[in-house]
Each structure stands twice: as structure tokens, then as C-alpha cells.
Amino acid sequence: MSTAGSGDATGPGDAAGPGGLPGTPTREGGVAVRVIPCLDVQGGRVVKGVNFLDLQDAGDPVELAARYYAQGADELTFLDVGATVENRATMYDTVTRTAEQVFIPLTVGGGIRSVGDVARLQQCGADKVGVNSAAIARPELVGEIADRFGAQAVVLSLDVKRSDRMPSGFVVTTHGGRTESDLDALAWAREAVERGAGELLVNSIDADGTKSGFDLELVAAVRAIASVPVIASGGAGNLDHFAPAVEAGADAVLAASVFHRGEMTIGDVKTALRAAGQLVR
């Protein structure tokens, strides 16, 4: 398990130290924007689709993780999209093999239902865990994990759709965006932070895989109510999409298919952010 926290981890591809490149403006609080590749894992393979549907094989998770580490990724996120009993052993093995060669913070989500699950994942090398459906079913889980492992270890994963049913205009979904809950996304995010979530991974189901850009309205809305870091996810399609997400309030930007398909590298994203006046490592 990496001993570095999310604020000070560096990889071999980093072009700048903690202070950024000379002349790089400092973000509020002096915290660099994190660039995070996401690997959706099912049956031991990375998969990717559009709007969480029509999943296709995208490669070996450990090989991809090593590639992104070499490119200078600040963190890595694994999401077990199957989250079934038969895939669980495969995911533990994937985390262990990745942690042996990738020395940046590793977040693992999918199928986490107890502090025991978190303990085992940390033994395998995970630094943080992402919780979603289990926390919706039993919100106390957020506090239980935070009390045992610290708020910095708890990432609330929010799969969000636009919805006229909710006061904020955004509803929390489960089952890969296919099932709408009765939770207003902003209200749930606020409650989860109060219960101990140390970070919010905000994924737009509407934008996921479309390459049309992040949902900036969603990012800004969550930023306005959150006192913890916000990770923008869903919709990245070209280099011009990342800076607006940061300007909308994201502390980190997450993408998947554009990296898996080699359409851009971690370094390309950092260069684009730097050119837009953002501090990156």
C-alpha cells in the first residue's frame, strides 16, 4: 500500500514538483489538480462502454495501471463493475498485483459492504475505498469506515443522472446508472460528508462515455455544498474538457476510455491544464 497521501504522491512521469512549474499560478489553497485514470474491472479485465452499457474489453488492469503510473498519474481508481461474489477474489488479486508495482494512491470501489471488506482491500494495497450502493442501503457504513480507517480513506461514489423529480435536478442512481434511487444527489452528498466521507467522486451517467465533456453544472452544484475534495468523472473526450471541470470546482479529473484507447496520455492532460493556468504536479 502506498504511504503517500492524495496531496503529496508523485509518479515517475511527474514534470513538476509540489510547487508546479516556474510561473504556474497556484490554485486556491495551493493544491495541485490530480489527474486520475479509472479502470472499470469485470472478470479480471478492464472494460468500457457508453452510459455504463455495451461493455467492451479494454485490456489487463495491472498492465494499464503500470502504464498510467509511468505517465505520471497522481492516483488510480479501480471500480469492480461486476461486484459479484465470483469476481471478488479476482479483484483482490488485481489490487495486490497492482500495489506491488504502482506507488501512488489506489482507490478501489464496487461491492464494499463492511469494514471487513475495507480491511482486506487495505491489506491487498488499497489506500482508499469507494462506496456507493451499500452506503445508500445503509448510510451508517460511511461513518463506520471513517471511524476505523479515517475520513481520507472513504470516497463516496456518486453515479448521478439529471432528474426533474429532485429539488436539485440530479438523482442518485445504482446498478451502473440503470436504477434511480429516491435520493437527491446534493442532499445525499451533503449527508455523506457529514457522516465522514472524505472525498466525492461525482460521475455523470448522462455524460459517461459520450466524450461530450464533463457535466459542469453538476460539478459546480456539488462543489457549492461540499467541504471535501470533488472528483469530476464522466464525459471527457478531448483535452479542452479538463480545465473547465476544474474551473467549475473539481479538485481532480478522472477519465477512462480516452486513456485506454491511447487518444491522450496523462501528460497531455497535465500540459493542457497547465496551459490553462492550473497547478499540476
Side-chain angles (χ1 to χ4, degrees):
M1 174 167 43
S2 169
T3 57
S6 61
D8 59 3
T10 56
D14 293 336
L21 291 177
T24 301
T26 301
R27 297 180 67 231
E28 183 177 356
V31 179
V33 179
R34 288 170 287 148
V35 179
I36 306 174
C38 180
L39 296 93
D40 296 329
V41 180
Q42 186 172 58
R45 300 289 293 179
V46 176
V47 295
K48 190 57 188 169
V50 177
N51 304 129
F52 277 41
L53 300 174
D54 300 324
L55 300 180
Q56 299 178 352
D57 188 284
D60 177 77
V62 181
E63 291 179 3
L64 286 174
R67 178 196 304 171
Y68 299 144
Y69 174 57
Q71 290 180 4
D74 297 303
E75 299 186 15
L76 286 170
T77 293
F78 279 147
L79 297 179
D80 184 349
V81 297
T84 57
V85 175
E86 59 267 28
N87 279 342
R88 185 56 50 213
T90 300
M91 194 63 184
Y92 286 132
D93 177 66
T94 298
V95 173
T96 299
R97 291 188 296 122
T98 300
E100 289 173 348
Q101 55 184 292
V102 172
F103 305 103
I104 52 178
L106 175 60
T107 299
V108 181
I112 296 167
R113 301 177 179 87
S114 69
V115 293
D117 293 335
V118 180
R120 183 171 179 186
L121 281 167
Q122 289 210 340
Q123 290 171 355
C124 292
D127 296 89
K128 310 177 191 179
V129 295
V131 292
N132 184 356
S133 298
I136 292 172
R138 195 171 67 84
E140 295 81 9
L141 177 64
V142 175
E144 291 169 2
I145 298 173
D147 289 344
R148 172 85 176 270
F149 303 99
Q152 81 288 340
V154 188
V155 180
L156 180 74
S157 183
L158 289 159
D159 290 338
V160 179
K161 277 185 177 179
R162 290 176 176 268
S163 172
D164 293 335
R165 294 194 299 116
M166 297 297 159
S168 70
F170 298 102
V171 65
V172 175
T173 71
T174 60
H175 301 86
R178 291 184 289 276
T179 303
E180 292 190 7
S181 73
D182 292 324
L183 293 174
D184 181 281
L186 299 191
W188 172 228
R190 185 184 291 109
E191 177 183 345
V193 171
E194 292 172 351
R195 288 181 178 274
E199 200 159 30
L200 300 174
L201 170 55
V202 184
N203 184 50
S204 169
I205 298 298
D206 299 310
D208 179 75
T210 65
K211 298 187 178 183
S212 59
F214 295 95
D215 188 330
L216 303 182
E217 183 180 353
L218 173 60
V219 173
V222 175
R223 172 77 281 159
I225 58 92
S227 57
V228 300
V230 173
I231 305 169
S233 170
N238 63 58
L239 293 174
D240 292 334
H241 287 155
F242 293 91
V246 177
E247 292 162 5
D251 299 275
V253 286
L254 180 148
S257 60
V258 291
F259 295 140
H260 303 337
R261 295 167 182 158
E263 296 171 19
M264 63 184 70
T265 66
I266 306 297
D268 292 336
V269 175
K270 290 190 174 186
T271 297
L273 287 169
R274 202 175 282 123
Q278 300 296 340
L279 178 67
V280 298
R281 296 188 186 89

